[in-house]
């Protein structure tokens, strides 16, 4: 697949004349999709909230100034909770449906947020954050798939890409909330930001049952009449033609997965060449999303500021808030362009931009560490912003949407779970080890010890691992360590160039079959078109639609 495959569009030729993005029904559908999109905000809110809380003396004093491993655990425990729920998530999404799974996850998060806000000890705070992560896994597994599966064809890619792009929305609210509450002289300085974390789950618990269920899920369970009714109500606006084609293509794709591709069970994710190609990309994106130099700043921005001499809490919180607004702008802008520019161009622009700006950030960090230059410290902040602008071009909007769209329905929940597991595992490692690496590389600790000194004085395997980790990607003042990240970003660029396939302007079913060869695509599209032409010659489909409209 040298140079990556550039797929030609099949969607426009077949159903392009049926698409009308100005249908009135789309407004209602997109309103429900917004309810699903806010699921991602819980993760984004948490990262920024924990960044902000670490700058609050009220929080640090109440929990006895957590540092090192304890601070790492406080940050990582939410994702540890997510890891615990992953084995169950796809079975709920495929078994109970997308909506019930979101409801269960949101309900767990509501209860956990109450406990977190009322925490009286570190243990209570950690336990609550574990439950938030546990519930989030269920909601976050089902919500982006439901967005993809109910969206109007022309809005599918931008809306699914907006799912993860909205992560910076709640973070900027968290950042500004902590900025506004840090002057409160009691524990409500951190309890108020904790309570606001329940906003999205509460809305979903109250409203998700009014949202349409996935037509793909309904057809897979033999509820074809209900699926047809959903498509007719939210996509047709009185026009049968598009609904007829969508319905038949979904049905053909699900039947193809069951009978021809044998896409059933976890094992099938790796048994066919097409699925192995999918998993190669999905697993890589899970790692790339967290190990591209972004992990340090996401949860430990205040520690980075400390290393470059910016220690005033008000200044730290202000920069954190501005950074979240910056991220939101670039992520949403990229989400709107996914079908115009294409996935490959966005991925390559993103990784090359990160490579350039992280290199400059590394140089400026080294200059500050060596000379204490204020200009170098300010340049580090500038390059952090530019680095995140590059990251937001692809790794914020596309890692979820691209993963979901290249998976066929029968494997979508399981494949997305594997991506999420890899993503969270990489994040947990970053969150737990970063503060240890930072404390060991801080200027106040002197020079980082040599590897020989590390192994001669450290007996704990975890401590050795943490010290090794400080050599590899995370010390803001260790330019040698950051060079490893620069090399890793170069590797990412080569990988993405070779293996990412362009998928723009295709239906969800067409996109999923790209990895199975042209024959699979022709079979599904041809079967759908043939079925539609047969139904045009009869009154059966029209009669069914009329019956559903009356119902």
């Amino acid at each position: 697949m040298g140079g990556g495959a550039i797929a030609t569009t099949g969607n426009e030729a077949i159903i392009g004349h049926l698409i009308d993005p100005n249908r009135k029904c789309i407004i209602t559908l997109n309103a429900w999709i917004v309810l699903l999109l806010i699921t991602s905000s819980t993760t984004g809110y948490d990262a920024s909230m924990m960044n902000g809380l670490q700058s609050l003396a009220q929080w640090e004093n109440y929990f006895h100034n957590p540092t090192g491993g304890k601070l790492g655990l406080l940050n990582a425990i939410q994702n540890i909770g997510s890891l615990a729920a992953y084995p169950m998530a796809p079975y709920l999404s495929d078994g109970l449906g997308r909506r019930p799974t979101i409801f269960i996850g949101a309900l767990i998060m509501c209860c956990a947020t109450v406990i977190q806000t009322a925490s009286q000890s570190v243990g209570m705070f950690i336990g609550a954050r574990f439950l938030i992560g546990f519930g989030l896994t269920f909601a976050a597994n089902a919500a982006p798939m439901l967005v993809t599966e109910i969206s109007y064809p022309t809005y599918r890619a931008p809306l699914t890409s907006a799912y993860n792009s909205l992560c910076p929305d709640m973070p900027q609210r968290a950042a500004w909330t902590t900025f506004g509450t840090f002057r409160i002289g009691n524990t409500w300085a951190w309890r108020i930001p904790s309570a606001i974390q329940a906003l999205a789950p509460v809305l979903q618990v109250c409203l998700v049952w009014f949202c349409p269920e996935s037509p793909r899920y309904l057809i897979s369970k033999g509820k074809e009449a209900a699926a047809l009714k959903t498509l007719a109500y939210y996509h047709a606006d009185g026009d049968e033609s598009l609904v007829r084609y969508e319905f038949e293509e979904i049905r053909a794709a699900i039947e193809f997965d069951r009978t021809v591709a044998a896409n059933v069970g976890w094992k099938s994710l790796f048994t066919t060449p097409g699925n192995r190609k999918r998993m190669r990309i999905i697993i890589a994106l899970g790692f790339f999303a967290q190990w591209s130099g972004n992990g340090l700043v996401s949860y430990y921005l205040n520690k980075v500021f400390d290393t470059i001499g910016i220690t005033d809490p008000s200044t730290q919180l202000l920069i954190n808030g501005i950074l979240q607004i910056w991220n939101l702008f670039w992520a949403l802008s990229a989400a709107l362009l996914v079908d115009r520019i294409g996935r490959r161009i966005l991925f390559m622009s993103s990784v090359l931009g990160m490579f350039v700006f992280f290199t400059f950030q590394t140089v400026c960090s080294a200059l500050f560490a060596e000379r204490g230059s204020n200009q170098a410290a300010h340049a580090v902040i500038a390059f952090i912003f530019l680095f995140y602008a590059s990251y937001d071009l692809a790794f914020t909007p596309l890692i979820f949407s691209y993963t979901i769209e290249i998976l066929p329905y029968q494997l979508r929940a399981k494949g997305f779970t594997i991506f999420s597991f890899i993503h969270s595992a990489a994040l947990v490692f970053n969150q737990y080890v970063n503060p240890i690496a930072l404390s060991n590389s801080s200027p106040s600790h002197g020079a980082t010890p040599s590897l020989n000194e590390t192994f001669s004085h450290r007996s704990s395997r975890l401590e050795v691992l943490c010290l090794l980790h400080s050599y590899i990607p995370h010390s803001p003042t260790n330019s040698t360590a950051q060079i490893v990240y620069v090399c890793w970003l170069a590797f990412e660029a080569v990988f993405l160039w070779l293996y990412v396939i362009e998928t723009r302007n295709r239906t969800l079913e067409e996109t999923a079959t790209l990895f199975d060869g042209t024959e699979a695509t022709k079979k599904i599209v041809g079967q759908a078109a043939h079925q539609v032409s047969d139904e045009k010659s009869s009154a059966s489909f029209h009669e069914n639609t009329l019956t559903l409209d009356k119902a």
Side-chain angles (χ1 to χ4, degrees):
M1 208 182 299
I6 310 293
T8 57
T9 178
N11 173 311
E12 293 177 345
I14 298 173
I15 64 170
H17 65 288
L18 304 177
I19 299 291
D20 180 6
N22 298 314
R23 296 184 192 272
K24 294 179 181 179
C25 58
I26 298 175
I27 297 175
T28 304
L29 177 61
N30 288 349
W32 290 123
I33 289 174
V34 169
L35 178 69
L36 305 174
L37 294 177
I38 62 176
T39 306
S40 67
S41 66
T42 304
T43 301
Y45 185 95
D46 178 79
S48 186
M49 182 189 75
M50 290 305 298
N51 245 332
L53 295 187
Q54 291 167 60
S55 296
L56 294 178
Q58 298 93 320
W59 182 83
E60 288 201 324
N61 294 336
Y62 193 84
F63 292 115
H64 309 295
N65 299 302
T67 58
K70 181 179 287 188
L71 179 59
L73 182 60
L74 277 164
N75 277 313
I77 192 64
Q78 178 173 314
N79 283 285
I80 294 173
S82 294
L83 292 174
Y86 281 130
M88 295 171 277
Y91 294 103
L92 266 66
S93 293
D94 285 343
L96 298 179
R98 312 314 198 203
R99 289 187 308 174
T101 305
I102 294 170
F103 176 81
I104 291 170
L107 186 61
I108 294 173
M109 285 189 284
C110 287
C111 298
T113 305
V114 171
I115 298 172
Q116 177 180 264
T117 303
S119 292
Q120 302 297 311
S121 65
V122 172
M124 191 173 175
F125 194 83
I126 289 174
R129 288 178 52 71
F130 177 91
L131 288 176
I132 290 174
F134 190 82
L136 178 61
T137 291
F138 297 122
N141 181 264
M145 293 191 295
L146 186 54
V147 170
T148 296
E149 292 167 1
I150 66 174
S151 293
Y152 194 77
T154 50
Y155 295 117
R156 176 183 60 81
L159 285 173
T160 312
S161 298
Y163 176 83
N164 203 44
S165 299
L166 286 176
C167 264
D169 178 46
M170 288 301 278
Q172 56 103 357
R173 296 186 189 187
W176 290 111
T177 300
T178 51
F179 179 73
T181 62
F182 88 99
R183 291 182 176 85
I184 298 176
N186 54 48
T187 61
W188 283 105
W190 60 266
R191 294 189 194 276
I192 290 175
S194 295
I196 292 176
Q197 193 166 7
L199 179 61
V202 166
L203 288 173
Q204 290 182 328
V205 166
C206 296
L207 298 174
V208 74
W209 291 112
F210 300 100
C211 177
E213 181 57 275
S214 165
R216 276 90 178 167
Y217 166 78
L218 294 171
I219 292 175
S220 73
K221 296 300 182 182
K223 301 177 181 179
E224 296 188 353
L228 186 57
K229 184 175 182 179
T230 298
L231 289 171
Y233 186 83
Y234 288 104
H235 286 196
D237 207 17
D239 183 1
E240 295 177 12
S241 303
L242 175 61
V243 174
R244 185 185 300 121
Y245 182 84
E246 284 187 295
F247 178 80
E248 294 300 341
E249 187 180 47
I250 293 168
R251 188 162 63 175
I254 290 175
E255 186 62 24
F256 176 83
D257 286 332
R258 282 175 176 166
T259 58
V260 179
N263 282 332
V264 180
W266 293 93
K267 184 179 178 182
S268 60
L269 288 167
F270 301 95
T271 53
T272 67
N275 287 343
R276 286 193 291 272
K277 292 175 185 176
R278 291 182 178 98
M279 296 313 299
R280 175 173 57 197
I281 295 174
I282 288 170
I283 291 172
L285 289 180
F287 281 112
F288 292 173
Q290 293 302 329
W291 288 1
S292 295
N294 56 305
L296 178 63
V297 177
S298 292
Y299 273 80
Y300 300 101
L301 184 60
N302 66 310
K303 303 299 182 187
V304 176
F305 288 150
D306 289 342
T307 62
I308 59 175
I310 299 175
T311 57
D312 178 56
S314 179
T315 303
Q316 290 183 356
L317 290 167
L318 180 61
I319 296 175
N320 185 26
I322 294 172
L323 180 61
Q324 303 311 322
I325 296 174
W326 174 264
N327 286 340
L328 180 64
F329 169 78
W330 284 102
L332 286 179
S333 298
L336 295 175
L337 296 174
V338 290
D339 272 339
R340 295 184 182 183
I341 296 179
R343 281 65 157 169
R344 279 178 56 79
I345 292 177
L346 287 174
F347 269 120
M348 293 309 302
S349 300
S350 178
V351 73
L352 291 176
M354 287 192 292
F355 174 82
V356 171
F357 296 126
F358 195 86
T359 300
F360 286 132
Q361 181 184 328
T362 299
V363 172
C364 293
S365 295
L367 286 174
F368 178 81
E370 184 177 325
R371 304 176 186 176
S373 168
N374 288 332
Q375 291 86 350
H378 295 155
V380 169
I381 297 174
F383 286 124
I384 286 175
F385 274 75
L386 292 172
F387 171 86
Y388 264 98
S390 299
Y391 181 92
D392 292 331
L393 287 178
F395 285 87
T396 298
L398 289 181
I399 58 169
F400 280 65
S401 61
Y402 193 77
T403 295
I404 291 171
E405 71 182 5
I406 66 176
L407 287 164
Y409 174 80
Q410 300 287 1
L411 297 179
R412 191 165 291 140
K414 293 181 176 65
F416 186 55
T417 296
I418 288 180
F419 163 81
S420 300
F421 181 88
I422 296 293
H423 184 267
S424 292
L427 183 57
V428 166
F429 187 71
N430 281 353
Q431 290 169 330
Y432 189 74
V433 176
N434 272 335
I436 302 175
L438 281 169
S439 63
N440 280 294
S441 60
S442 172
S444 63
H445 286 76
T448 304
S450 69
L451 289 179
N452 287 334
E453 291 173 330
T454 296
F455 282 103
S456 63
H457 291 93
R458 303 274 177 171
S459 58
S460 165
R461 292 182 182 180
L462 178 60
E463 288 177 327
V464 171
L465 178 62
C466 294
L467 263 295
L468 284 173
H469 196 255
S470 70
Y471 279 90
I472 299 176
H474 298 99
S475 167
T477 59
N478 188 336
S479 59
T480 303
Q482 289 185 313
I483 290 173
V484 176
Y485 254 150
V486 174
C487 296
W488 178 255
L489 286 167
F491 166 76
E492 287 185 13
V494 174
F495 182 95
L496 294 172
W497 172 259
L498 291 175
Y499 297 120
V500 168
I501 293 178
E502 184 56 71
T503 60
R504 64 174 176 160
N505 296 325
R506 286 178 169 266
T507 66
L508 186 56
E509 279 63 41
E510 287 179 280
T511 299
T513 59
L514 283 175
F515 292 81
D516 298 313
T518 56
E519 290 303 315
T521 305
K522 289 179 181 178
K523 181 178 178 65
I524 291 173
V525 173
Q527 184 175 335
H530 177 72
Q531 188 68 26
V532 168
S533 64
D534 286 349
E535 288 177 343
K536 279 185 177 179
S537 62
S538 69
S540 61
F541 192 94
H542 180 69
E543 291 172 356
N544 287 340
T545 305
L546 287 176
T547 301
L548 291 171
D549 287 340
K550 291 177 182 178

PDB file of all heavy atoms in Angstrom, residues 94 220 253-255 257-258 263-265 408-414:
ATOM      1  N   ASP A  94     -23.663  -3.809  21.276  1.00  0.00           N
ATOM      2  CA  ASP A  94     -24.230  -4.694  20.253  1.00  0.00           C
ATOM      3  C   ASP A  94     -25.433  -5.469  20.752  1.00  0.00           C
ATOM      4  O   ASP A  94     -26.307  -5.847  19.959  1.00  0.00           O
ATOM      5  CB  ASP A  94     -23.165  -5.684  19.765  1.00  0.00           C
ATOM      6  CG  ASP A  94     -22.141  -5.034  18.845  1.00  0.00           C
ATOM      7  OD1 ASP A  94     -22.429  -3.935  18.327  1.00  0.00           O
ATOM      8  OD2 ASP A  94     -21.063  -5.614  18.648  1.00  0.00           O
ATOM      9  N   SER A 220     -29.683  -5.325  12.183  1.00  0.00           N
ATOM     10  CA  SER A 220     -28.918  -6.506  12.621  1.00  0.00           C
ATOM     11  C   SER A 220     -29.720  -7.380  13.579  1.00  0.00           C
ATOM     12  O   SER A 220     -29.456  -8.583  13.693  1.00  0.00           O
ATOM     13  CB  SER A 220     -27.621  -6.062  13.302  1.00  0.00           C
ATOM     14  OG  SER A 220     -27.871  -5.504  14.588  1.00  0.00           O
ATOM     15  N   ALA A 253     -24.789  -4.850   3.375  1.00  0.00           N
ATOM     16  CA  ALA A 253     -23.486  -4.860   4.056  1.00  0.00           C
ATOM     17  C   ALA A 253     -23.501  -5.774   5.268  1.00  0.00           C
ATOM     18  O   ALA A 253     -22.546  -6.532   5.509  1.00  0.00           O
ATOM     19  CB  ALA A 253     -23.108  -3.439   4.473  1.00  0.00           C
ATOM     20  N   ILE A 254     -24.569  -5.740   6.042  1.00  0.00           N
ATOM     21  CA  ILE A 254     -24.659  -6.600   7.231  1.00  0.00           C
ATOM     22  C   ILE A 254     -24.725  -8.060   6.826  1.00  0.00           C
ATOM     23  O   ILE A 254     -24.079  -8.928   7.439  1.00  0.00           O
ATOM     24  CB  ILE A 254     -25.879  -6.193   8.082  1.00  0.00           C
ATOM     25  CG1 ILE A 254     -25.625  -4.832   8.731  1.00  0.00           C
ATOM     26  CG2 ILE A 254     -26.167  -7.238   9.154  1.00  0.00           C
ATOM     27  CD1 ILE A 254     -26.801  -4.275   9.504  1.00  0.00           C
ATOM     28  N   GLU A 255     -25.467  -8.348   5.755  1.00  0.00           N
ATOM     29  CA  GLU A 255     -25.549  -9.734   5.276  1.00  0.00           C
ATOM     30  C   GLU A 255     -24.209 -10.203   4.735  1.00  0.00           C
ATOM     31  O   GLU A 255     -23.803 -11.350   4.938  1.00  0.00           O
ATOM     32  CB  GLU A 255     -26.624  -9.830   4.191  1.00  0.00           C
ATOM     33  CG  GLU A 255     -26.912 -11.248   3.717  1.00  0.00           C
ATOM     34  CD  GLU A 255     -27.452 -12.141   4.835  1.00  0.00           C
ATOM     35  OE1 GLU A 255     -28.015 -11.607   5.815  1.00  0.00           O
ATOM     36  OE2 GLU A 255     -27.286 -13.374   4.721  1.00  0.00           O
ATOM     37  N   ASP A 257     -21.241  -9.189   5.738  1.00  0.00           N
ATOM     38  CA  ASP A 257     -20.364  -9.438   6.883  1.00  0.00           C
ATOM     39  C   ASP A 257     -20.678 -10.785   7.533  1.00  0.00           C
ATOM     40  O   ASP A 257     -19.769 -11.500   7.975  1.00  0.00           O
ATOM     41  CB  ASP A 257     -20.507  -8.320   7.922  1.00  0.00           C
ATOM     42  CG  ASP A 257     -19.832  -7.035   7.474  1.00  0.00           C
ATOM     43  OD1 ASP A 257     -18.874  -7.127   6.703  1.00  0.00           O
ATOM     44  OD2 ASP A 257     -20.271  -5.951   7.888  1.00  0.00           O
ATOM     45  N   ARG A 258     -21.936 -11.128   7.581  1.00  0.00           N
ATOM     46  CA  ARG A 258     -22.333 -12.371   8.242  1.00  0.00           C
ATOM     47  C   ARG A 258     -21.965 -13.603   7.417  1.00  0.00           C
ATOM     48  O   ARG A 258     -21.496 -14.605   7.960  1.00  0.00           O
ATOM     49  CB  ARG A 258     -23.836 -12.367   8.479  1.00  0.00           C
ATOM     50  CG  ARG A 258     -24.292 -11.517   9.664  1.00  0.00           C
ATOM     51  CD  ARG A 258     -25.807 -11.489   9.733  1.00  0.00           C
ATOM     52  NE  ARG A 258     -26.290 -10.770  10.907  1.00  0.00           N
ATOM     53  CZ  ARG A 258     -27.539 -10.380  11.062  1.00  0.00           C
ATOM     54  NH1 ARG A 258     -28.441 -10.627  10.127  1.00  0.00           N
ATOM     55  NH2 ARG A 258     -27.906  -9.723  12.152  1.00  0.00           N
ATOM     56  N   ASN A 263     -17.384 -11.904   9.457  1.00  0.00           N
ATOM     57  CA  ASN A 263     -16.928 -10.959  10.481  1.00  0.00           C
ATOM     58  C   ASN A 263     -17.735 -11.148  11.760  1.00  0.00           C
ATOM     59  O   ASN A 263     -18.607 -10.350  12.098  1.00  0.00           O
ATOM     60  CB  ASN A 263     -17.072  -9.523   9.970  1.00  0.00           C
ATOM     61  CG  ASN A 263     -15.958  -9.140   9.006  1.00  0.00           C
ATOM     62  OD1 ASN A 263     -14.852  -9.667   9.088  1.00  0.00           O
ATOM     63  ND2 ASN A 263     -16.255  -8.233   8.093  1.00  0.00           N
ATOM     64  N   VAL A 264     -17.426 -12.220  12.469  1.00  0.00           N
ATOM     65  CA  VAL A 264     -18.138 -12.521  13.706  1.00  0.00           C
ATOM     66  C   VAL A 264     -17.114 -12.870  14.773  1.00  0.00           C
ATOM     67  O   VAL A 264     -16.249 -13.723  14.565  1.00  0.00           O
ATOM     68  CB  VAL A 264     -19.128 -13.691  13.516  1.00  0.00           C
ATOM     69  CG1 VAL A 264     -19.843 -13.976  14.827  1.00  0.00           C
ATOM     70  CG2 VAL A 264     -20.139 -13.375  12.417  1.00  0.00           C
ATOM     71  N   GLY A 265     -17.190 -12.230  15.928  1.00  0.00           N
ATOM     72  CA  GLY A 265     -16.303 -12.560  17.046  1.00  0.00           C
ATOM     73  C   GLY A 265     -14.989 -11.808  17.003  1.00  0.00           C
ATOM     74  O   GLY A 265     -14.596 -11.209  15.995  1.00  0.00           O
ATOM     75  N   PRO A 408     -16.462  -2.518   9.546  1.00  0.00           N
ATOM     76  CA  PRO A 408     -17.816  -2.948   9.182  1.00  0.00           C
ATOM     77  C   PRO A 408     -18.682  -3.078  10.431  1.00  0.00           C
ATOM     78  O   PRO A 408     -18.169  -3.221  11.546  1.00  0.00           O
ATOM     79  CB  PRO A 408     -17.591  -4.307   8.518  1.00  0.00           C
ATOM     80  CG  PRO A 408     -16.299  -4.800   9.076  1.00  0.00           C
ATOM     81  CD  PRO A 408     -15.457  -3.575   9.324  1.00  0.00           C
ATOM     82  N   TYR A 409     -19.995  -3.043  10.251  1.00  0.00           N
ATOM     83  CA  TYR A 409     -20.898  -2.989  11.396  1.00  0.00           C
ATOM     84  C   TYR A 409     -20.644  -4.111  12.393  1.00  0.00           C
ATOM     85  O   TYR A 409     -20.592  -3.871  13.608  1.00  0.00           O
ATOM     86  CB  TYR A 409     -22.367  -3.037  10.950  1.00  0.00           C
ATOM     87  CG  TYR A 409     -23.292  -3.122  12.139  1.00  0.00           C
ATOM     88  CD1 TYR A 409     -23.604  -1.984  12.871  1.00  0.00           C
ATOM     89  CD2 TYR A 409     -23.782  -4.354  12.586  1.00  0.00           C
ATOM     90  CE1 TYR A 409     -24.401  -2.059  14.004  1.00  0.00           C
ATOM     91  CE2 TYR A 409     -24.582  -4.432  13.716  1.00  0.00           C
ATOM     92  CZ  TYR A 409     -24.884  -3.286  14.420  1.00  0.00           C
ATOM     93  OH  TYR A 409     -25.651  -3.368  15.548  1.00  0.00           O
ATOM     94  N   GLN A 410     -20.505  -5.348  11.926  1.00  0.00           N
ATOM     95  CA  GLN A 410     -20.393  -6.491  12.835  1.00  0.00           C
ATOM     96  C   GLN A 410     -19.161  -6.416  13.723  1.00  0.00           C
ATOM     97  O   GLN A 410     -19.117  -7.022  14.792  1.00  0.00           O
ATOM     98  CB  GLN A 410     -20.368  -7.807  12.030  1.00  0.00           C
ATOM     99  CG  GLN A 410     -21.596  -8.052  11.185  1.00  0.00           C
ATOM    100  CD  GLN A 410     -22.806  -8.440  12.029  1.00  0.00           C
ATOM    101  OE1 GLN A 410     -22.728  -8.503  13.247  1.00  0.00           O
ATOM    102  NE2 GLN A 410     -23.933  -8.662  11.388  1.00  0.00           N
ATOM    103  N   LEU A 411     -18.151  -5.673  13.278  1.00  0.00           N
ATOM    104  CA  LEU A 411     -16.908  -5.565  14.054  1.00  0.00           C
ATOM    105  C   LEU A 411     -16.711  -4.179  14.656  1.00  0.00           C
ATOM    106  O   LEU A 411     -15.712  -3.943  15.333  1.00  0.00           O
ATOM    107  CB  LEU A 411     -15.701  -5.890  13.151  1.00  0.00           C
ATOM    108  CG  LEU A 411     -15.627  -7.304  12.577  1.00  0.00           C
ATOM    109  CD1 LEU A 411     -14.395  -7.440  11.699  1.00  0.00           C
ATOM    110  CD2 LEU A 411     -15.589  -8.336  13.694  1.00  0.00           C
ATOM    111  N   ARG A 412     -17.656  -3.280  14.409  1.00  0.00           N
ATOM    112  CA  ARG A 412     -17.437  -1.875  14.791  1.00  0.00           C
ATOM    113  C   ARG A 412     -17.257  -1.707  16.299  1.00  0.00           C
ATOM    114  O   ARG A 412     -16.319  -1.034  16.746  1.00  0.00           O
ATOM    115  CB  ARG A 412     -18.601  -1.021  14.281  1.00  0.00           C
ATOM    116  CG  ARG A 412     -18.343   0.479  14.401  1.00  0.00           C
ATOM    117  CD  ARG A 412     -19.344   1.251  13.557  1.00  0.00           C
ATOM    118  NE  ARG A 412     -19.082   1.032  12.139  1.00  0.00           N
ATOM    119  CZ  ARG A 412     -20.026   0.859  11.211  1.00  0.00           C
ATOM    120  NH1 ARG A 412     -21.307   0.876  11.563  1.00  0.00           N
ATOM    121  NH2 ARG A 412     -19.695   0.674   9.955  1.00  0.00           N
ATOM    122  N   ALA A 413     -18.132  -2.289  17.091  1.00  0.00           N
ATOM    123  CA  ALA A 413     -18.035  -2.120  18.543  1.00  0.00           C
ATOM    124  C   ALA A 413     -16.769  -2.768  19.096  1.00  0.00           C
ATOM    125  O   ALA A 413     -16.087  -2.198  19.955  1.00  0.00           O
ATOM    126  CB  ALA A 413     -19.269  -2.709  19.222  1.00  0.00           C
ATOM    127  N   LYS A 414     -16.436  -3.963  18.603  1.00  0.00           N
ATOM    128  CA  LYS A 414     -15.238  -4.657  19.109  1.00  0.00           C
ATOM    129  C   LYS A 414     -13.964  -3.960  18.660  1.00  0.00           C
ATOM    130  O   LYS A 414     -13.022  -3.782  19.445  1.00  0.00           O
ATOM    131  CB  LYS A 414     -15.263  -6.116  18.643  1.00  0.00           C
ATOM    132  CG  LYS A 414     -16.378  -6.948  19.255  1.00  0.00           C
ATOM    133  CD  LYS A 414     -16.324  -8.386  18.765  1.00  0.00           C
ATOM    134  CE  LYS A 414     -17.383  -9.246  19.462  1.00  0.00           C
ATOM    135  NZ  LYS A 414     -18.754  -8.831  19.120  1.00  0.00           N
TER     136      LYS A 414
END
